[in-house]
Amino acid sequence: IAGITQAPTSQILAAGRRMTLRCTQDMRHNAMYWYRQDLGLGLRLIHYSNTAGTTGKGEVPDGYSVSRANTDDFPLTLASAVPSQTSVYFCASRPTGGSSETQYFGPGTRLLVL
Amino acid sequence: GENVEQHPSTLSVQEGDSAVIKCTYSDSASNYFPWYKQELGKRPQLIIDIRSNVGEKKDQRIAVTLNKTAKHFSLHITETQPEDSAVYFCAASKYNQGGKLIFGQGTELSVKP
């Protein structure tokens, strides 16, 4: 069981380019999330999805889009990257139903936009 | 919307001492408060959480206290060890309403042997 995986591990991207960060989980969790982590700012929610076919905006959604075609995958797309999107991106998933609120994080993607 | 403030930003203690990290939140409707530990270069991992119907929760050397009236909660680590050195994040959310976590800014804990 892999849990939750992200790809790529790291990426250097030219400003203006399009980029998709991949996130896959094999735990059959309904809810998935994308966060960005910047020094001194903690983790900030970009977009989320409570179940396949639905998505919602988090704290900092501008410049990002997501889709949730199935339970396992939750890709994050930067349509036209800008240097301020340089960050570490974490995907997370959470089981729904029952009493657990625990979010499980992927290993992260380090993105540098030049 | 919810805002979570975390203090201090850095904390240095001697091995064996206690460490306390404090967070305040703004939305009185928040009712779920997890704490995550993140080691250098690793992913955040849940270490303890508390719901608003409980005032305190303990797990071995780690405890969390919650004051709903004052809207603040704290992480207490006793008998600190060098492997406790990491960045700790508090967060708040509304249980059963999408699980959207709002995080504090993080506290870098250093435990000196």
Side-chain angles (χ1 to χ4, degrees):
Chain A
I1 297 176
I4 183 166
T5 59
Q6 293 183 235
T9 302
S10 64
Q11 182 75 43
I12 299 173
L13 189 65
R17 297 296 296 269
R18 180 184 181 90
M19 174 76 189
T20 295
L21 308 184
R22 300 185 298 278
C23 175
T24 299
Q25 51 100 3
D26 62 4
M27 299 178 284
R28 307 303 294 170
H29 289 172
N30 282 323
M32 297 186 74
Y33 309 86
W34 273 105
Y35 296 91
R36 60 177 289 173
Q37 184 174 31
D38 303 290
L39 194 62
L41 296 175
L43 294 110
R44 293 180 291 169
L45 181 65
I46 304 171
H47 284 288
Y48 66 95
S49 169
N50 286 329
T51 190
T54 68
T55 63
K57 294 181 179 180
E59 300 172 86
V60 288
D62 294 344
Y64 305 95
S65 64
V66 292
S67 62
R68 188 85 185 278
N70 57 61
T71 297
D72 298 345
D73 301 299
F74 191 41
L76 176 73
T77 297
L78 289 66
S80 179
V82 295
S84 62
Q85 292 177 310
T86 293
S87 188
V88 180
Y89 291 85
F90 286 100
C91 179
S93 70
R94 178 180 69 94
T96 55
S99 60
S100 176
E101 286 284 304
T102 304
Q103 290 192 19
Y104 298 87
F105 283 80
T109 294
R110 293 182 174 274
L111 181 65
L112 175 61
V113 182
L114 300 175
Chain B
E2 175 65 280
N3 182 54
V4 178
E5 296 287 335
Q6 183 172 346
H7 298 281
S9 56
T10 61
L11 179 60
S12 182
V13 300
Q14 287 294 131
E15 182 177 0
D17 287 351
S18 295
V20 180
I21 302 171
K22 299 180 179 181
C23 289
T24 60
Y25 61 99
S26 61
D27 189 344
S28 57
S30 290
N31 51 18
Y32 174 69
F33 308 94
W35 285 88
Y36 282 81
K37 175 183 180 181
Q38 186 178 29
E39 296 176 351
L40 188 63
K42 301 289 183 63
R43 71 191 78 186
Q45 291 193 303
L46 181 77
I47 55 171
I48 196 167
D49 57 10
I50 192 169
R51 294 179 187 163
S52 59
N53 59 346
V54 176
E56 183 174 0
K57 184 177 179 180
K58 189 173 183 179
D59 183 4
Q60 299 182 351
R61 297 186 296 109
I62 294 172
V64 56
T65 59
L66 171 66
N67 184 326
K68 287 171 53 180
T69 303
K71 290 189 284 188
H72 67 70
F73 56 111
S74 300
L75 178 71
H76 305 254
I77 306 174
T78 59
E79 301 171 20
T80 54
Q81 301 166 4
E83 51 265 39
D84 293 330
S85 296
V87 179
Y88 292 81
F89 292 96
C90 64
S93 74
K94 300 179 185 64
Y95 178 65
N96 269 346
Q97 292 189 31
K100 299 187 293 287
L101 292 174
I102 303 300
F103 283 86
Q105 297 85 351
T107 295
E108 183 175 2
L109 174 65
S110 175
V111 180
K112 300 187 183 306

